[in-house]
Amino acid sequence: MNEIIYKKVLAESVKELRVVAPRIAKARKAGQFVIVRANETGERIPLTIADADPKAGTLTLIFQEVGKSTLLLGSLEVGDSIQDVVGPLGKPTHVEEFGTVVCMGGGIGVAPMHPIAKAMKAAGNKVIAIIGARNKDLLIMEDRMKAASTELHVSTDDGTYGVHGFVTTILQSIIDSGEKINLVVAIGPVPMMNASCKLTAKFDLPTVVSLNPIMVDGTGMCGACRVTVGGKTRFVCVDGPEFDGHQVDFVELVKRQRAYLKQEDQSRQEFLQHPDKRCFETAT
Amino acid sequence: MAKEKIPRQKMPEQRPEDRRRNFQEVPFGYTPELAQLEASRCIMCKKPKCIEGCPVEINIPAFVALIKSGDFIGAAKKIKEANALPAICGRVCPQEEQCEVKCVIGIKNDPVAIGRLERFAADFERLNSQIEPPPLPSFTGKKAAIVGCGPAGLTVAGELAKLGHKVTIFEALHQPGGVLIYGIPEFRLPKAIVEAEVDYVKKLGVEIVYNAVIGRFQTVDELLSEGYDSVFLGTGAGLPYFMNIPGENLNGVYSANEYLTRSNLMKAYRFPEYDTPIAVSKKVAVLGGGNVAMDSARTALRLGADEVSIVYRRSRTEMPARVEEVHHAEEEGIQFQLLTNPVEILGDDQGWVKSMRCIRMELGEPDASGRRRPVPLKGSEFEMEVDTVVVSIGNGANPLVPQTTPGLNTNKWGNIIADEKTAATSKPGVFAGGDIVIGAATVILAMGAGKIAARAMHRFMMGIPEPSESEAQGMASSKS
């Protein structure tokens, strides 16, 4: 059991939880994730680690409430516990002094980008962070990304804040300005990562993406998270989560992410109609 | 020889038409009367061959004699001297190729049903007594870390605890049991039984830490530097193999590991009470001919599929599954597409499986495994309509521990190399056994490896020199 010691609503349906997990807080590196199971009847879902405090022994988890599992997690309060937190999983980000690194975070993808930007900056890179959201209210972690980067750019799809457009709009203008870029890291919804990779491919900019498929065990045993990278099947949980973005089959990834839409909708509806049954009492 | 006239006693079981749609255990087990009758068939050989067939050297005639005399709990205790998990082994061991194949009665008649008797004794004890651990020796001052709470790890843990060591098991999942929990379905091995047998190991003083993925959470070197005197690696089967044919990443294609884990560990068969979903299927094809394939096919049926087929590239004779499992599957209405190999899985525009293209095979010359090699029959391709495909063709080794453990040697398939007689790896103080060493095998072979490892780890931790060849043999025979 992992106790929640801090909770904050960052944006509509985006929650931040700080949970006690001393060993993971100590072992985790940028780019890694955890698998979380909220309660006895819960499913195992992967969540990125937005930050960690090894001294306090805590992990920061930031997630968007989409289906039942994230709604259930979001309904937990300070003092409640998450049944299982497993990790750190996946390979850490390859961090070295590349020169200039562009860190692009779209929507909830800003959360996993945060520790990567921090690590890239600590390794001596010039970190240009670009974060974006659909609108101003959905933008998260601006202050923390500012601290984690050398310079920060913001975009919103509707123009309510920062540049009117997408994160790729900003990347295009940085490329146009003649800035030499050594590496791009892009994390966010699949269309955002796909668009980023299409843009960087035109300029031959090495691009790393972090993928978020459906997972079950997260340790390589089940293969639920398989993706096609460079024509080969890879397991995101042990071979990733980061891959060369120019090699990833994003079309397949989107289809696989939608494999359980019907059941997810059923679970979500039942949860929303019976919020009193939110958890724990079905534990056996 | 009146004794031989008593036929081998059948176990009462659920009727196929009832059980094909429920997850309750198929056989009900022997009644005390049936068990005693079956036990009376044993002729108590002076030099019992059956023990030679048992990877953990259970004193079989002794426990069978106790059943015959009506001392069922005594029989269970006798088994537990050699095997901490008898209710599990009585259910899932391939007795027909181990103890029972050696049974002298079996030469002219059916062998004594040793597995069914083992199961009976263990079940009787669990249901009718407070199971107490044997008296334990005082603490040796030595600590052992066990990586993986499956059959190998649980065996090592139990054996070391009985020798007075402090034992901690590190389990990656949120429940103990490894393949016994995530892999073998409820209808073949009820989870309450696994829990009870794990509880017994806990009563021996063993501590279990869950959600601990060694290699990520903590490395083997960290375990050794943080006070553990030896480490056992029993991480089990790893990454599932796929066929490497087009269409395998379509929705509706599962590895058997994923399909069974969703249903067994995550209880997807009770969705939406449990949150984990699983495909709702009409026509399911399971690729492979082993026990895991049978488990997957029978699970698909119980999840509500209309039609389930086993698709296997060789013939029935070459099928690695136990005869009993194939028989159960057939009784329940599973279809067998033998000498058939899939060449492509076809999908719709939403990325869902809609059919599978297969080719018929014939058997040619024997290959490296000694089985006749299947050869495709030209022009025999056909399409079968399916909406779910479960790939059950085995597992490779999980790389997490080897990748993060300098000095630990693996073979070309990534399996950890361990000495057959001592389970010792190339890294001092680190031992390994079970599927991570031998590739996917059986529960009892993993347990056998666990026993060997426990003896060697005990010697290593206590500074006792390795026994010479003759001493080792003396030790083995004194066990029986």
Side-chain angles (χ1 to χ4, degrees):
Chain A
M1 297 291 269
N2 302 75
E3 197 190 336
I4 296 166
I5 57 156
Y6 174 86
K7 179 182 181 182
K8 194 180 171 192
V9 179
L10 297 187
E12 194 200 329
S13 77
V14 178
K15 305 268 166 85
E16 170 174 353
L17 298 179
R18 231 167 277 170
V19 300
V20 178
R23 190 102 216 177
I24 305 174
K26 193 174 133 217
R28 73 93 214 186
K29 294 195 172 79
Q32 292 186 298
F33 62 93
V34 287
I35 291 243
V36 167
R37 192 174 70 124
N39 64 13
E40 197 53 46
T41 53
E43 60 177 339
R44 294 169 66 100
I45 56 165
L47 289 180
T48 44
I49 303 171
D51 209 349
D53 183 344
K55 278 203 196 100
T58 59
L59 289 180
T60 301
L61 305 176
I62 294 177
F63 56 91
Q64 186 167 19
E65 293 168 341
V66 181
K68 176 179 174 181
S69 295
T70 41
L71 283 164
L72 181 56
L73 275 178
S75 73
L76 300 179
E77 300 295 341
V78 170
D80 289 342
S81 288
I82 299 176
Q83 178 102 15
D84 299 293
V85 178
V86 196
L89 300 171
K91 288 183 177 166
T93 307
H94 175 70
V95 177
E96 60 170 65
E97 196 180 338
F98 294 99
T100 298
V101 179
V102 173
C103 290
M104 304 168 72
I108 195 71
V110 178
M113 183 53 78
H114 175 248
I116 298 172
K118 249 170 122 172
M120 288 294 182
K121 196 178 172 194
N125 291 290
K126 176 181 178 185
V127 173
I128 302 175
I130 309 172
I131 61 173
R134 285 208 310 276
N135 59 50
K136 183 173 189 264
D137 294 339
L138 291 173
L139 189 76
I140 58 167
M141 300 182 84
E142 189 185 357
D143 292 346
R144 280 180 271 189
M145 282 305 290
K146 196 164 199 169
S149 58
T150 318
E151 57 178 76
L152 176 73
H153 302 265
V154 181
S155 71
T156 51
D157 298 4
D158 67 355
T160 43
Y161 189 63
V163 171
H164 188 172
F166 303 113
V167 285
T168 43
T169 318
I170 297 175
L171 177 63
Q172 179 74 60
S173 62
I174 294 172
I175 294 169
D176 293 345
S177 76
E179 173 95 41
K180 183 173 163 32
I181 298 168
N182 301 92
L183 179 71
V184 175
V185 186
I187 309 180
V190 171
M192 171 265 174
M193 291 194 283
N194 197 4
S196 305
C197 290
K198 277 190 178 141
L199 176 59
T200 58
K202 278 200 276 184
F203 298 93
D204 265 340
L205 297 176
T207 304
V208 169
V209 293
S210 181
L211 306 182
N212 53 342
I214 294 171
M215 291 189 185
V216 184
D217 70 291
T219 64
M221 188 261 282
C222 84
C225 63
R226 56 198 194 278
V227 290
T228 302
V229 182
K232 282 196 181 129
T233 294
R234 309 292 297 275
F235 290 6
V236 173
C237 68
V238 289
D239 300 324
E242 292 174 10
F243 294 98
D244 175 352
H246 297 148
Q247 304 286 321
V248 172
D249 183 342
F250 288 110
V251 176
E252 179 187 273
L253 176 62
V254 169
K255 285 180 179 164
R256 289 186 61 78
Q257 282 175 333
R258 297 166 63 88
Y260 294 101
L261 276 190
K262 262 190 216 155
Q263 288 103 320
E264 282 165 7
D265 192 51
Q266 183 188 350
S267 278
R268 184 189 149 88
Q269 292 306 331
E270 282 184 25
F271 179 79
L272 291 174
Q273 282 159 21
H274 307 279
D276 51 313
K277 274 176 70 180
R278 63 184 183 117
C279 53
F280 307 119
E281 76 287 346
T282 47
T284 47
Chain B
M1 299 299 271
K3 276 178 188 170
E4 290 174 33
K5 296 228 173 87
I6 302 169
R8 180 175 159 112
Q9 297 300 303
K10 287 204 173 89
M11 265 192 301
E13 61 184 29
Q14 282 198 70
R15 294 183 311 165
E17 56 272 35
D18 297 335
R19 70 184 193 234
R20 66 198 294 274
R21 293 296 192 208
N22 72 52
F23 276 87
Q24 282 141 36
E25 193 176 13
V26 170
F28 300 121
Y30 279 155
T31 59
E33 296 72 30
L34 281 173
Q36 281 183 289
L37 193 60
E38 181 62 30
S40 73
R41 296 179 65 231
C42 175
I43 56 168
M44 305 295 154
C45 304
K46 283 219 172 61
K47 287 190 177 171
K49 293 273 182 198
C50 50
I51 299 177
E52 291 171 18
C54 175
V56 296
E57 299 157 358
I58 294 172
N59 190 339
I60 294 165
F63 95 76
V64 174
L66 286 162
I67 291 180
K68 190 176 154 190
S69 73
D71 182 2
F72 305 138
I73 290 174
K77 288 196 160 58
K78 178 55 75 181
I79 300 170
K80 280 191 173 166
E81 288 173 12
N83 177 355
L85 315 171
I88 294 169
C89 290
R91 287 172 166 81
V92 302
C93 266
Q95 291 99 8
E96 65 280 2
E97 50 191 63
Q98 294 179 162
C99 49
E100 292 179 12
V101 76
K102 304 262 183 178
C103 176
V104 177
I105 305 285
I107 297 169
K108 284 192 177 161
N109 295 285
D110 290 327
V112 174
I114 299 166
R116 294 172 187 175
L117 290 171
E118 179 184 29
R119 169 195 162 124
F120 166 78
D123 286 356
F124 188 91
E125 185 196 33
R126 191 179 65 256
L127 298 172
N128 296 287
S129 75
Q130 288 287 338
I131 299 175
E132 289 307 324
L136 296 173
S138 55
F139 179 40
T140 58
K142 302 294 178 189
K143 287 167 68 185
I146 313 294
V147 182
C149 195
L154 283 167
T155 304
V156 180
E159 294 291 313
L160 289 178
K162 283 194 275 183
L163 291 165
H165 303 295
K166 169 132 185 50
V167 184
T168 308
I169 302 180
F170 294 87
E171 167 56 43
L173 293 171
H174 56 261
Q175 268 186 39
V179 71
L180 306 170
I181 282 286
Y182 76 75
I184 304 178
E186 178 78 17
F187 57 83
R188 208 152 71 80
L189 179 62
K191 300 311 149 207
I193 287 168
V194 179
E195 278 159 31
E197 304 230 319
V198 171
D199 276 345
Y200 176 74
V201 173
K202 283 196 209 157
K203 279 188 183 162
L204 297 170
V206 172
E207 188 202 354
I208 306 176
V209 182
Y210 299 106
N211 299 326
V213 183
I214 299 302
R216 295 275 193 233
F217 177 78
Q218 207 167 351
T219 62
V220 171
D221 282 325
E222 280 169 343
L223 291 172
L224 288 168
S225 66
E226 287 171 23
Y228 291 99
D229 299 286
S230 67
V231 175
F232 176 78
L233 303 172
T235 53
L239 281 60
Y241 288 134
F242 285 87
M243 304 277 297
N244 287 320
I245 57 174
E248 262 181 322
N249 291 347
L250 288 164
N251 287 332
V253 182
Y254 291 88
S255 72
N257 282 2
E258 183 189 351
Y259 198 66
L260 293 172
T261 299
R262 282 183 182 272
S263 181
N264 299 333
L265 176 72
M266 305 309 297
K267 300 202 164 50
Y269 68 89
R270 287 166 68 178
F271 180 88
E273 181 194 349
Y274 281 76
D275 294 341
T276 303
I278 196 163
V280 179
S281 316
K282 289 196 172 68
K283 293 187 176 184
V284 181
V286 178
L287 316 184
N291 289 322
V292 177
M294 299 306 140
D295 285 346
S296 302
R298 296 170 71 196
T299 295
L301 203 61
R302 284 159 173 80
L303 286 169
D306 299 332
E307 232 180 86
V308 183
S309 308
I310 291 275
V311 178
Y312 180 56
R313 61 191 183 131
R314 302 182 202 247
S315 75
R316 184 169 298 246
T317 333
E318 289 82 18
M319 270 196 168
R322 292 181 71 189
V323 174
E324 182 186 318
E325 301 306 327
V326 178
H327 173 67
H328 273 144
E330 218 161 22
E331 276 187 339
E332 290 167 11
I334 305 286
Q335 296 168 27
F336 289 77
Q337 292 276 357
L338 301 173
L339 289 164
T340 303
N341 208 26
V343 288
E344 184 178 6
I345 303 167
L346 303 155
D348 63 19
D349 52 5
Q350 298 297 306
W352 282 90
V353 174
K354 65 177 173 93
S355 66
M356 187 166 75
R357 215 151 48 77
C358 300
I359 189 163
R360 299 285 184 202
M361 312 290 277
E362 60 181 353
L363 292 179
E365 295 300 306
D367 64 10
S369 74
R371 294 178 298 178
R372 292 177 65 193
R373 183 195 303 274
V375 187
L377 265 173
K378 265 187 198 151
S380 68
E381 292 195 8
F382 69 99
E383 207 171 307
M384 62 189 280
E385 194 190 318
V386 288
D387 55 17
T388 303
V389 177
V390 181
V391 184
S392 178
I393 57 169
N395 301 291
N398 191 309
L400 285 185
V401 168
Q403 267 175 6
T404 54
T405 311
L408 184 70
N409 291 347
T410 55
N411 66 16
K412 63 176 170 177
W413 297 284
N415 293 106
I416 296 171
I417 299 170
D419 187 296
E420 265 179 51
K421 293 200 181 74
T422 65
T425 68
S426 55
K427 194 174 174 79
V430 179
F431 300 77
D435 281 5
I436 187 61
V437 172
I438 50 180
T442 59
V443 169
I444 192 68
L445 281 176
M447 292 177 60
K451 289 200 91 165
I452 289 169
R455 284 177 207 160
M457 287 167 77
H458 174 66
R459 286 195 300 269
F460 175 84
M461 291 192 287
M462 302 305 284
I464 305 165
E466 290 287 317
S468 66
E469 200 74 0
S470 56
E471 278 169 332
Q473 275 174 12
M475 214 171 89
S477 58
S478 74
K479 289 289 295 178
S480 55

